[in-house]
Amino acid sequence: MTYAVSEIGTAEKARRRGRSLPALEPWLYLSPALILLVTVLLVPLIIGISYSFRKFSAFRSEYVGLGQYQAMFSDPLLAQALINTLWWTIGSLFFQFFLGLGLALLLDRPFYGRKVVQAVVFLPWAVPSFLSGLTWAWLFNPIVGPLPHWLYAMGIMAEPSNILADPKVAMWGPIIANVWFGIPFFAITLLAALKSIPSELHEAAAIDGATPWQRFSKVTLPFLAPTIAITVMLRTIWIATFADLIFVMTSGGPAGSTNTVATYIYVSAFKSLDKGYASAVAVLLLVLLILYAVVLIGIRRSLARYS
């Protein structure tokens, strides 16, 4: 009887072990990627957050608690950087999305030379951002670039001048460069989403007498809505944290008119050597973007549910 009970217990343990091994197998395959993600993403994030509670000097650091966060509320430069970031993000995103959507709708139609046009449209995405910013800075320079002279010829400017040197309109320089740089992202993703829409739906709508606008608003747009939500979310995060173009073209000037939160973090950390305050500002930006992402993901889920 004792042997029978022990054999039953051994068999039960073997069955449990046999069920647990298949459950652990996927995690074993994922373990290299998970270790890499934790090492590359999570560990630097924890270290960066810990820096925000410290005050760094040339040779030492001290714990200051929430002192760095309290200093942010009385920092006029940070307040201006937040406003500039909002302007920079919304302005870039608006033109990138609508121009990218227009290109996607154009490339979704068959025409002669479409592959060549696709290659040209997607080319800016392959250009390094540093080179893109440098090129656009030259284009806005009235000595070596044609843009100021074209704007003067069209009556937009009173004289050929560098808009990057005017605090009132300097932000439009990086925004234009960023629009040129980011249009391919929306064009590629929205074109892929357009290809997934069954052609029978458009044919049925046309047979029912729907106009082109009605087919776009009632058929195309509902299918694109989930993709639009996720691409807008991703691009907003990338633009808000994107400092390359602005730093290359204006370095945050003139008079801080193009200084965004991303460039302010860079200047605070590597020029002012205040890593603690830069980390606190970075945590603030992280929280704002997480809240934004949560709202957009909720909108996307509702759109996917009703599409």
Side-chain angles (χ1 to χ4, degrees), residues 51-110:
Y51 281 176
S52 67
F53 298 103
R54 307 189 68 84
K55 177 70 175 178
F56 289 84
S57 58
F59 300 103
R60 66 187 184 88
S61 66
E62 58 178 341
Y63 180 78
V64 294
L66 298 177
Q68 302 285 19
Y69 294 96
Q70 294 172 351
M72 290 193 300
F73 291 101
S74 59
D75 187 354
L77 294 178
L78 177 59
Q80 183 62 40
L82 286 169
I83 296 173
N84 292 341
T85 302
L86 191 63
W87 180 16
W88 152 258
T89 304
I90 294 177
S92 300
L93 188 67
F94 178 84
F95 290 105
Q96 283 183 10
F97 171 72
F98 283 104
L99 292 176
L101 177 60
L103 280 173
L105 293 172
L106 177 65
L107 294 174
D108 191 43
R109 298 174 176 270

CSV table of all heavy atoms in Angstrom, one decimal, residues 51-110:
chain,number,residue,atom,x,y,z
A,51,TYR,N,19.0,59.6,-10.7
A,51,TYR,CA,19.8,60.8,-10.8
A,51,TYR,C,18.9,62.1,-10.5
A,51,TYR,O,19.4,63.1,-10.1
A,51,TYR,CB,20.4,60.9,-12.2
A,51,TYR,CG,21.6,60.1,-12.5
A,51,TYR,CD1,22.2,60.1,-13.8
A,51,TYR,CD2,22.2,59.4,-11.5
A,51,TYR,CE1,23.3,59.3,-14.0
A,51,TYR,CE2,23.3,58.6,-11.7
A,51,TYR,CZ,23.9,58.6,-13.0
A,51,TYR,OH,25.0,57.9,-13.2
A,52,SER,N,17.6,62.0,-10.8
A,52,SER,CA,16.8,63.1,-10.7
A,52,SER,C,16.6,63.5,-9.2
A,52,SER,O,16.1,64.6,-8.9
A,52,SER,CB,15.4,62.9,-11.3
A,52,SER,OG,14.7,61.9,-10.6
A,53,PHE,N,17.0,62.6,-8.3
A,53,PHE,CA,16.9,62.9,-6.8
A,53,PHE,C,18.2,63.4,-6.3
A,53,PHE,O,18.3,63.5,-5.0
A,53,PHE,CB,16.4,61.7,-6.1
A,53,PHE,CG,15.0,61.3,-6.5
A,53,PHE,CD1,14.9,60.2,-7.3
A,53,PHE,CD2,13.9,61.9,-6.0
A,53,PHE,CE1,13.6,59.7,-7.7
A,53,PHE,CE2,12.6,61.5,-6.4
A,53,PHE,CZ,12.5,60.4,-7.2
A,54,ARG,N,19.2,63.7,-7.1
A,54,ARG,CA,20.5,64.1,-6.7
A,54,ARG,C,20.9,65.4,-7.3
A,54,ARG,O,20.5,65.7,-8.4
A,54,ARG,CB,21.5,62.9,-6.9
A,54,ARG,CG,21.2,61.6,-6.4
A,54,ARG,CD,22.3,60.6,-6.5
A,54,ARG,NE,23.4,60.9,-5.6
A,54,ARG,CZ,23.5,60.6,-4.4
A,54,ARG,NH1,22.5,59.9,-3.8
A,54,ARG,NH2,24.5,60.9,-3.6
A,55,LYS,N,21.8,66.1,-6.7
A,55,LYS,CA,22.4,67.3,-7.2
A,55,LYS,C,23.9,67.0,-7.5
A,55,LYS,O,24.7,66.6,-6.6
A,55,LYS,CB,22.3,68.4,-6.2
A,55,LYS,CG,23.0,69.7,-6.6
A,55,LYS,CD,22.2,70.4,-7.7
A,55,LYS,CE,22.8,71.7,-8.0
A,55,LYS,NZ,22.2,72.4,-9.2
A,56,PHE,N,24.3,67.2,-8.7
A,56,PHE,CA,25.7,66.9,-9.1
A,56,PHE,C,26.5,68.2,-9.3
A,56,PHE,O,26.0,69.2,-9.8
A,56,PHE,CB,25.7,66.2,-10.5
A,56,PHE,CG,25.1,64.8,-10.5
A,56,PHE,CD1,23.7,64.5,-10.5
A,56,PHE,CD2,26.0,63.7,-10.3
A,56,PHE,CE1,23.2,63.3,-10.5
A,56,PHE,CE2,25.5,62.4,-10.3
A,56,PHE,CZ,24.1,62.2,-10.4
A,57,SER,N,27.7,68.1,-8.7
A,57,SER,CA,28.7,69.1,-8.9
A,57,SER,C,29.9,68.5,-9.7
A,57,SER,O,29.8,67.4,-10.2
A,57,SER,CB,29.1,69.7,-7.6
A,57,SER,OG,29.7,68.7,-6.8
A,58,ALA,N,31.0,69.2,-9.7
A,58,ALA,CA,32.1,68.8,-10.6
A,58,ALA,C,32.7,67.5,-10.1
A,58,ALA,O,33.0,66.6,-10.9
A,58,ALA,CB,33.2,69.9,-10.6
A,59,PHE,N,32.8,67.3,-8.7
A,59,PHE,CA,33.5,66.1,-8.2
A,59,PHE,C,32.6,65.3,-7.3
A,59,PHE,O,33.1,64.2,-6.8
A,59,PHE,CB,34.7,66.5,-7.5
A,59,PHE,CG,35.7,67.3,-8.4
A,59,PHE,CD1,35.8,68.7,-8.3
A,59,PHE,CD2,36.5,66.6,-9.3
A,59,PHE,CE1,36.7,69.4,-9.1
A,59,PHE,CE2,37.4,67.3,-10.1
A,59,PHE,CZ,37.5,68.7,-10.0
A,60,ARG,N,31.4,65.6,-7.0
A,60,ARG,CA,30.6,64.9,-6.1
A,60,ARG,C,29.1,65.1,-6.4
A,60,ARG,O,28.7,65.9,-7.2
A,60,ARG,CB,30.9,65.2,-4.6
A,60,ARG,CG,30.5,66.6,-4.2
A,60,ARG,CD,31.0,67.0,-2.8
A,60,ARG,NE,30.6,68.3,-2.4
A,60,ARG,CZ,29.4,68.6,-1.8
A,60,ARG,NH1,28.6,67.6,-1.5
A,60,ARG,NH2,29.1,69.8,-1.5
A,61,SER,N,28.3,64.3,-5.7
A,61,SER,CA,26.8,64.5,-5.8
A,61,SER,C,26.2,64.3,-4.4
A,61,SER,O,26.8,63.6,-3.6
A,61,SER,CB,26.3,63.5,-6.8
A,61,SER,OG,26.4,62.1,-6.3
A,62,GLU,N,25.1,64.9,-4.2
A,62,GLU,CA,24.4,64.7,-2.9
A,62,GLU,C,22.9,64.5,-3.2
A,62,GLU,O,22.3,65.0,-4.2
A,62,GLU,CB,24.6,66.0,-2.1
A,62,GLU,CG,24.1,67.3,-2.7
A,62,GLU,CD,24.3,68.5,-1.8
A,62,GLU,OE1,24.5,68.2,-0.6
A,62,GLU,OE2,24.3,69.6,-2.3
A,63,TYR,N,22.3,63.8,-2.2
A,63,TYR,CA,20.8,63.5,-2.3
A,63,TYR,C,20.1,64.8,-1.9
A,63,TYR,O,20.3,65.4,-0.9
A,63,TYR,CB,20.5,62.4,-1.4
A,63,TYR,CG,19.0,62.0,-1.4
A,63,TYR,CD1,18.5,61.3,-2.5
A,63,TYR,CD2,18.2,62.4,-0.4
A,63,TYR,CE1,17.1,60.9,-2.5
A,63,TYR,CE2,16.8,62.0,-0.4
A,63,TYR,CZ,16.3,61.3,-1.5
A,63,TYR,OH,15.0,61.0,-1.5
A,64,VAL,N,19.1,65.2,-2.8
A,64,VAL,CA,18.3,66.4,-2.6
A,64,VAL,C,16.8,66.1,-2.6
A,64,VAL,O,16.0,67.0,-2.5
A,64,VAL,CB,18.6,67.5,-3.6
A,64,VAL,CG1,20.1,68.0,-3.4
A,64,VAL,CG2,18.4,67.0,-5.0
A,65,GLY,N,16.5,64.8,-2.7
A,65,GLY,CA,15.0,64.5,-2.7
A,65,GLY,C,14.3,65.0,-3.8
A,65,GLY,O,14.7,64.9,-5.0
A,66,LEU,N,13.2,65.8,-3.6
A,66,LEU,CA,12.4,66.3,-4.6
A,66,LEU,C,12.8,67.8,-5.0
A,66,LEU,O,12.1,68.5,-5.6
A,66,LEU,CB,10.9,66.4,-4.2
A,66,LEU,CG,10.3,65.0,-3.9
A,66,LEU,CD1,8.9,65.2,-3.4
A,66,LEU,CD2,10.3,64.1,-5.2
A,67,GLY,N,14.0,68.1,-4.6
A,67,GLY,CA,14.5,69.5,-4.8
A,67,GLY,C,14.6,69.8,-6.3
A,67,GLY,O,14.3,71.0,-6.7
A,68,GLN,N,15.0,68.9,-7.1
A,68,GLN,CA,15.1,69.1,-8.6
A,68,GLN,C,13.7,69.3,-9.2
A,68,GLN,O,13.6,70.2,-10.1
A,68,GLN,CB,15.8,68.0,-9.3
A,68,GLN,CG,17.2,67.7,-8.7
A,68,GLN,CD,18.2,68.7,-9.2
A,68,GLN,OE1,17.9,69.8,-9.6
A,68,GLN,NE2,19.5,68.3,-9.2
A,69,TYR,N,12.7,68.6,-8.7
A,69,TYR,CA,11.4,68.7,-9.2
A,69,TYR,C,10.8,70.1,-8.8
A,69,TYR,O,10.0,70.7,-9.5
A,69,TYR,CB,10.5,67.6,-8.8
A,69,TYR,CG,11.0,66.2,-9.4
A,69,TYR,CD1,11.8,65.4,-8.7
A,69,TYR,CD2,10.5,65.9,-10.6
A,69,TYR,CE1,12.2,64.2,-9.2
A,69,TYR,CE2,10.9,64.7,-11.2
A,69,TYR,CZ,11.8,63.8,-10.5
A,69,TYR,OH,12.2,62.6,-11.1
A,70,GLN,N,11.1,70.5,-7.5
A,70,GLN,CA,10.6,71.8,-7.1
A,70,GLN,C,11.2,72.9,-7.9
A,70,GLN,O,10.5,73.9,-8.1
A,70,GLN,CB,10.9,71.9,-5.6
A,70,GLN,CG,10.1,71.0,-4.7
A,70,GLN,CD,10.6,71.0,-3.2
A,70,GLN,OE1,11.6,71.7,-2.9
A,70,GLN,NE2,9.9,70.3,-2.4
A,71,ALA,N,12.5,72.8,-8.3
A,71,ALA,CA,13.1,73.8,-9.1
A,71,ALA,C,12.5,74.0,-10.4
A,71,ALA,O,12.5,75.1,-11.0
A,71,ALA,CB,14.6,73.5,-9.2
A,72,MET,N,11.9,72.9,-11.0
A,72,MET,CA,11.3,73.0,-12.3
A,72,MET,C,10.1,73.9,-12.3
A,72,MET,O,9.8,74.6,-13.3
A,72,MET,CB,10.8,71.6,-12.8
A,72,MET,CG,12.0,70.7,-13.1
A,72,MET,SD,11.4,69.2,-14.0
A,72,MET,CE,10.3,68.5,-12.8
A,73,PHE,N,9.3,74.1,-11.2
A,73,PHE,CA,8.1,74.9,-11.2
A,73,PHE,C,8.5,76.4,-11.2
A,73,PHE,O,7.6,77.2,-11.6
A,73,PHE,CB,7.3,74.6,-9.9
A,73,PHE,CG,6.7,73.2,-9.9
A,73,PHE,CD1,7.2,72.2,-9.2
A,73,PHE,CD2,5.5,73.0,-10.7
A,73,PHE,CE1,6.7,70.9,-9.2
A,73,PHE,CE2,4.9,71.7,-10.7
A,73,PHE,CZ,5.5,70.7,-10.0
A,74,SER,N,9.7,76.7,-10.9
A,74,SER,CA,10.1,78.2,-10.9
A,74,SER,C,11.1,78.4,-12.0
A,74,SER,O,11.8,79.4,-12.0
A,74,SER,CB,10.7,78.6,-9.6
A,74,SER,OG,11.8,77.8,-9.2
A,75,ASP,N,11.2,77.5,-13.0
A,75,ASP,CA,12.2,77.7,-14.1
A,75,ASP,C,11.5,78.3,-15.4
A,75,ASP,O,10.7,77.6,-16.0
A,75,ASP,CB,12.8,76.3,-14.4
A,75,ASP,CG,13.9,76.4,-15.5
A,75,ASP,OD1,14.1,77.5,-16.0
A,75,ASP,OD2,14.6,75.4,-15.7
A,76,PRO,N,11.7,79.5,-15.7
A,76,PRO,CA,11.0,80.1,-16.9
A,76,PRO,C,11.5,79.5,-18.2
A,76,PRO,O,10.8,79.5,-19.1
A,76,PRO,CB,11.4,81.6,-16.8
A,76,PRO,CG,12.6,81.7,-15.9
A,76,PRO,CD,12.5,80.5,-15.0
A,77,LEU,N,12.8,79.1,-18.2
A,77,LEU,CA,13.3,78.5,-19.4
A,77,LEU,C,12.6,77.2,-19.7
A,77,LEU,O,12.3,76.9,-20.9
A,77,LEU,CB,14.8,78.2,-19.3
A,77,LEU,CG,15.7,79.5,-19.2
A,77,LEU,CD1,17.1,79.1,-19.0
A,77,LEU,CD2,15.5,80.4,-20.4
A,78,LEU,N,12.3,76.4,-18.7
A,78,LEU,CA,11.5,75.1,-18.9
A,78,LEU,C,10.1,75.4,-19.4
A,78,LEU,O,9.6,74.7,-20.2
A,78,LEU,CB,11.5,74.3,-17.6
A,78,LEU,CG,10.8,73.0,-17.6
A,78,LEU,CD1,11.3,72.1,-18.7
A,78,LEU,CD2,10.8,72.3,-16.3
A,79,ALA,N,9.5,76.4,-18.8
A,79,ALA,CA,8.1,76.8,-19.2
A,79,ALA,C,8.1,77.1,-20.7
A,79,ALA,O,7.2,76.7,-21.4
A,79,ALA,CB,7.6,77.9,-18.3
A,80,GLN,N,9.1,77.9,-21.1
A,80,GLN,CA,9.1,78.3,-22.5
A,80,GLN,C,9.5,77.1,-23.4
A,80,GLN,O,8.9,77.0,-24.5
A,80,GLN,CB,10.2,79.4,-22.7
A,80,GLN,CG,10.3,79.9,-24.2
A,80,GLN,CD,9.1,80.6,-24.6
A,80,GLN,OE1,8.4,81.3,-23.9
A,80,GLN,NE2,8.7,80.3,-25.9
A,81,ALA,N,10.3,76.2,-22.9
A,81,ALA,CA,10.6,75.0,-23.6
A,81,ALA,C,9.4,74.1,-23.8
A,81,ALA,O,9.2,73.5,-24.9
A,81,ALA,CB,11.7,74.2,-22.9
A,82,LEU,N,8.5,74.0,-22.8
A,82,LEU,CA,7.3,73.2,-22.9
A,82,LEU,C,6.4,73.8,-24.0
A,82,LEU,O,5.8,73.1,-24.8
A,82,LEU,CB,6.6,73.2,-21.6
A,82,LEU,CG,7.2,72.3,-20.5
A,82,LEU,CD1,6.6,72.5,-19.1
A,82,LEU,CD2,7.1,70.8,-20.9
A,83,ILE,N,6.3,75.1,-24.0
A,83,ILE,CA,5.4,75.8,-25.0
A,83,ILE,C,6.0,75.5,-26.4
A,83,ILE,O,5.3,75.2,-27.4
A,83,ILE,CB,5.3,77.3,-24.7
A,83,ILE,CG1,4.6,77.5,-23.4
A,83,ILE,CG2,4.6,78.0,-25.9
A,83,ILE,CD1,4.6,79.0,-23.0
A,84,ASN,N,7.3,75.7,-26.5
A,84,ASN,CA,8.0,75.5,-27.8
A,84,ASN,C,7.8,74.0,-28.3
A,84,ASN,O,7.7,73.7,-29.5
A,84,ASN,CB,9.5,75.8,-27.8
A,84,ASN,CG,9.7,77.3,-27.6
A,84,ASN,OD1,8.8,78.1,-27.9
A,84,ASN,ND2,10.9,77.7,-27.1
A,85,THR,N,7.9,73.1,-27.3
A,85,THR,CA,7.7,71.7,-27.6
A,85,THR,C,6.3,71.4,-28.2
A,85,THR,O,6.2,70.6,-29.1
A,85,THR,CB,8.0,70.8,-26.4
A,85,THR,OG1,9.3,71.0,-25.9
A,85,THR,CG2,7.9,69.3,-26.7
A,86,LEU,N,5.3,72.0,-27.6
A,86,LEU,CA,4.0,71.9,-28.0
A,86,LEU,C,3.8,72.4,-29.5
A,86,LEU,O,3.2,71.7,-30.3
A,86,LEU,CB,3.0,72.6,-27.1
A,86,LEU,CG,1.5,72.3,-27.3
A,86,LEU,CD1,1.2,70.8,-27.0
A,86,LEU,CD2,0.7,73.2,-26.3
A,87,TRP,N,4.4,73.6,-29.7
A,87,TRP,CA,4.3,74.2,-31.0
A,87,TRP,C,5.1,73.3,-32.1
A,87,TRP,O,4.6,73.0,-33.1
A,87,TRP,CB,4.9,75.6,-31.0
A,87,TRP,CG,4.9,76.3,-32.3
A,87,TRP,CD1,4.2,76.0,-33.4
A,87,TRP,CD2,5.6,77.5,-32.6
A,87,TRP,NE1,4.5,76.9,-34.4
A,87,TRP,CE2,5.3,77.8,-34.0
A,87,TRP,CE3,6.5,78.3,-31.9
A,87,TRP,CZ2,5.9,78.9,-34.6
A,87,TRP,CZ3,7.1,79.4,-32.5
A,87,TRP,CH2,6.8,79.7,-33.9
A,88,TRP,N,6.2,72.9,-31.7
A,88,TRP,CA,7.1,72.1,-32.6
A,88,TRP,C,6.4,70.7,-32.9
A,88,TRP,O,6.4,70.3,-34.0
A,88,TRP,CB,8.4,71.9,-31.9
A,88,TRP,CG,9.2,70.6,-32.2
A,88,TRP,CD1,9.3,69.5,-31.4
A,88,TRP,CD2,10.0,70.4,-33.3
A,88,TRP,NE1,10.2,68.6,-31.9
A,88,TRP,CE2,10.6,69.1,-33.1
A,88,TRP,CE3,10.4,71.1,-34.5
A,88,TRP,CZ2,11.5,68.5,-34.1
A,88,TRP,CZ3,11.2,70.5,-35.4
A,88,TRP,CH2,11.8,69.3,-35.2
A,89,THR,N,5.8,70.1,-31.9
A,89,THR,CA,5.2,68.8,-32.1
A,89,THR,C,3.9,68.9,-32.9
A,89,THR,O,3.7,68.1,-33.9
A,89,THR,CB,4.9,68.1,-30.7
A,89,THR,OG1,6.1,68.1,-30.0
A,89,THR,CG2,4.4,66.7,-30.9
A,90,ILE,N,3.0,69.8,-32.6
A,90,ILE,CA,1.8,69.9,-33.3
A,90,ILE,C,2.0,70.4,-34.7
A,90,ILE,O,1.4,69.8,-35.6
A,90,ILE,CB,0.8,70.9,-32.5
A,90,ILE,CG1,0.4,70.2,-31.2
A,90,ILE,CG2,-0.4,71.1,-33.3
A,90,ILE,CD1,-0.5,71.2,-30.3
A,91,GLY,N,2.8,71.4,-34.9
A,91,GLY,CA,3.1,71.9,-36.2
A,91,GLY,C,3.7,70.8,-37.1
A,91,GLY,O,3.3,70.6,-38.3
A,92,SER,N,4.7,70.1,-36.6
A,92,SER,CA,5.3,69.0,-37.4
A,92,SER,C,4.3,67.9,-37.7
A,92,SER,O,4.2,67.4,-38.9
A,92,SER,CB,6.5,68.5,-36.7
A,92,SER,OG,7.5,69.5,-36.5
A,93,LEU,N,3.6,67.5,-36.7
A,93,LEU,CA,2.7,66.3,-36.8
A,93,LEU,C,1.5,66.6,-37.8
A,93,LEU,O,1.2,65.8,-38.6
A,93,LEU,CB,2.1,66.0,-35.5
A,93,LEU,CG,1.3,64.7,-35.4
A,93,LEU,CD1,2.2,63.5,-35.7
A,93,LEU,CD2,0.6,64.5,-34.0
A,94,PHE,N,1.0,67.9,-37.7
A,94,PHE,CA,-0.1,68.2,-38.6
A,94,PHE,C,0.2,68.1,-40.1
A,94,PHE,O,-0.5,67.4,-40.8
A,94,PHE,CB,-0.6,69.7,-38.3
A,94,PHE,CG,-1.7,70.2,-39.1
A,94,PHE,CD1,-3.0,69.9,-38.8
A,94,PHE,CD2,-1.4,70.9,-40.3
A,94,PHE,CE1,-4.0,70.3,-39.6
A,94,PHE,CE2,-2.5,71.4,-41.1
A,94,PHE,CZ,-3.8,71.1,-40.7
A,95,PHE,N,1.3,68.7,-40.5
A,95,PHE,CA,1.7,68.7,-41.9
A,95,PHE,C,2.2,67.3,-42.3
A,95,PHE,O,2.0,66.9,-43.4
A,95,PHE,CB,2.8,69.8,-42.2
A,95,PHE,CG,2.2,71.1,-42.1
A,95,PHE,CD1,2.5,72.0,-41.0
A,95,PHE,CD2,1.4,71.7,-43.1
A,95,PHE,CE1,2.0,73.2,-40.9
A,95,PHE,CE2,0.9,72.9,-43.0
A,95,PHE,CZ,1.2,73.7,-41.9
A,96,GLN,N,3.0,66.6,-41.4
A,96,GLN,CA,3.4,65.3,-41.8
A,96,GLN,C,2.3,64.3,-42.0
A,96,GLN,O,2.3,63.6,-43.0
A,96,GLN,CB,4.3,64.7,-40.6
A,96,GLN,CG,5.7,65.3,-40.5
A,96,GLN,CD,6.5,64.7,-39.4
A,96,GLN,OE1,6.1,63.7,-38.9
A,96,GLN,NE2,7.7,65.2,-39.2
A,97,PHE,N,1.3,64.4,-41.2
A,97,PHE,CA,0.2,63.5,-41.3
A,97,PHE,C,-0.6,63.7,-42.6
A,97,PHE,O,-0.9,62.8,-43.4
A,97,PHE,CB,-0.8,63.5,-40.1
A,97,PHE,CG,-2.0,62.8,-40.3
A,97,PHE,CD1,-2.0,61.4,-40.2
A,97,PHE,CD2,-3.2,63.4,-40.5
A,97,PHE,CE1,-3.2,60.7,-40.4
A,97,PHE,CE2,-4.4,62.7,-40.7
A,97,PHE,CZ,-4.4,61.3,-40.6
A,98,PHE,N,-1.1,64.9,-42.8
A,98,PHE,CA,-1.9,65.2,-44.0
A,98,PHE,C,-1.2,65.1,-45.3
A,98,PHE,O,-1.7,64.6,-46.3
A,98,PHE,CB,-2.6,66.6,-43.8
A,98,PHE,CG,-3.7,66.6,-42.8
A,98,PHE,CD1,-3.5,67.2,-41.6
A,98,PHE,CD2,-4.9,66.1,-43.1
A,98,PHE,CE1,-4.6,67.2,-40.7
A,98,PHE,CE2,-6.0,66.1,-42.2
A,98,PHE,CZ,-5.8,66.6,-41.0
A,99,LEU,N,0.1,65.5,-45.3
A,99,LEU,CA,0.8,65.3,-46.6
A,99,LEU,C,1.2,63.8,-46.8
A,99,LEU,O,1.1,63.3,-47.9
A,99,LEU,CB,2.1,66.1,-46.5
A,99,LEU,CG,1.9,67.7,-46.6
A,99,LEU,CD1,3.3,68.4,-46.4
A,99,LEU,CD2,1.3,68.1,-47.9
A,100,GLY,N,1.5,63.1,-45.7
A,100,GLY,CA,1.7,61.7,-45.8
A,100,GLY,C,0.5,60.9,-46.2
A,100,GLY,O,0.5,60.0,-47.0
A,101,LEU,N,-0.7,61.3,-45.7
A,101,LEU,CA,-2.0,60.7,-46.1
A,101,LEU,C,-2.3,61.0,-47.6
A,101,LEU,O,-2.7,60.1,-48.3
A,101,LEU,CB,-3.1,61.2,-45.2
A,101,LEU,CG,-4.5,60.7,-45.6
A,101,LEU,CD1,-4.6,59.2,-45.5
A,101,LEU,CD2,-5.6,61.4,-44.7
A,102,GLY,N,-2.0,62.2,-48.0
A,102,GLY,CA,-2.2,62.5,-49.4
A,102,GLY,C,-1.3,61.7,-50.3
A,102,GLY,O,-1.8,61.2,-51.4
A,103,LEU,N,-0.1,61.5,-50.0
A,103,LEU,CA,0.9,60.7,-50.8
A,103,LEU,C,0.5,59.3,-50.8
A,103,LEU,O,0.6,58.6,-51.8
A,103,LEU,CB,2.3,60.9,-50.2
A,103,LEU,CG,3.0,62.1,-50.6
A,103,LEU,CD1,4.4,62.2,-49.9
A,103,LEU,CD2,3.3,62.2,-52.1
A,104,ALA,N,0.0,58.8,-49.6
A,104,ALA,CA,-0.4,57.4,-49.6
A,104,ALA,C,-1.6,57.1,-50.5
A,104,ALA,O,-1.7,56.1,-51.2
A,104,ALA,CB,-0.8,57.0,-48.1
A,105,LEU,N,-2.6,58.1,-50.5
A,105,LEU,CA,-3.7,57.9,-51.4
A,105,LEU,C,-3.3,58.0,-52.8
A,105,LEU,O,-3.9,57.3,-53.7
A,105,LEU,CB,-4.8,59.0,-51.1
A,105,LEU,CG,-5.5,58.9,-49.7
A,105,LEU,CD1,-6.3,60.2,-49.4
A,105,LEU,CD2,-6.3,57.7,-49.6
A,106,LEU,N,-2.3,58.9,-53.1
A,106,LEU,CA,-1.9,59.0,-54.5
A,106,LEU,C,-1.1,57.7,-54.9
A,106,LEU,O,-1.4,57.2,-56.1
A,106,LEU,CB,-0.9,60.2,-54.6
A,106,LEU,CG,-0.2,60.4,-56.0
A,106,LEU,CD1,-1.3,60.7,-57.0
A,106,LEU,CD2,0.8,61.5,-55.9
A,107,LEU,N,-0.3,57.2,-54.1
A,107,LEU,CA,0.5,56.0,-54.4
A,107,LEU,C,-0.3,54.7,-54.4
A,107,LEU,O,0.1,53.7,-54.9
A,107,LEU,CB,1.7,55.8,-53.5
A,107,LEU,CG,2.7,56.9,-53.5
A,107,LEU,CD1,3.8,56.8,-52.4
A,107,LEU,CD2,3.4,56.9,-54.9
A,108,ASP,N,-1.5,54.8,-53.8
A,108,ASP,CA,-2.4,53.6,-53.8
A,108,ASP,C,-3.1,53.4,-55.2
A,108,ASP,O,-3.6,52.4,-55.5
A,108,ASP,CB,-3.5,53.8,-52.8
A,108,ASP,CG,-4.3,52.5,-52.5
A,108,ASP,OD1,-3.7,51.4,-52.5
A,108,ASP,OD2,-5.5,52.6,-52.4
A,109,ARG,N,-3.0,54.5,-56.1
A,109,ARG,CA,-3.6,54.4,-57.4
A,109,ARG,C,-2.5,54.0,-58.4
A,109,ARG,O,-1.4,54.5,-58.3
A,109,ARG,CB,-4.2,55.7,-57.8
A,109,ARG,CG,-5.4,56.1,-56.9
A,109,ARG,CD,-5.8,57.5,-57.3
A,109,ARG,NE,-7.0,57.9,-56.5
A,109,ARG,CZ,-8.2,57.7,-56.8
A,109,ARG,NH1,-8.5,57.0,-57.9
A,109,ARG,NH2,-9.2,58.1,-56.0
A,110,PRO,N,-2.8,53.2,-59.4
A,110,PRO,CA,-1.9,52.8,-60.4
A,110,PRO,C,-1.6,53.9,-61.4
A,110,PRO,O,-2.6,54.5,-61.9
A,110,PRO,CB,-2.5,51.6,-61.1
A,110,PRO,CG,-4.0,51.7,-60.9
A,110,PRO,CD,-4.1,52.4,-59.6
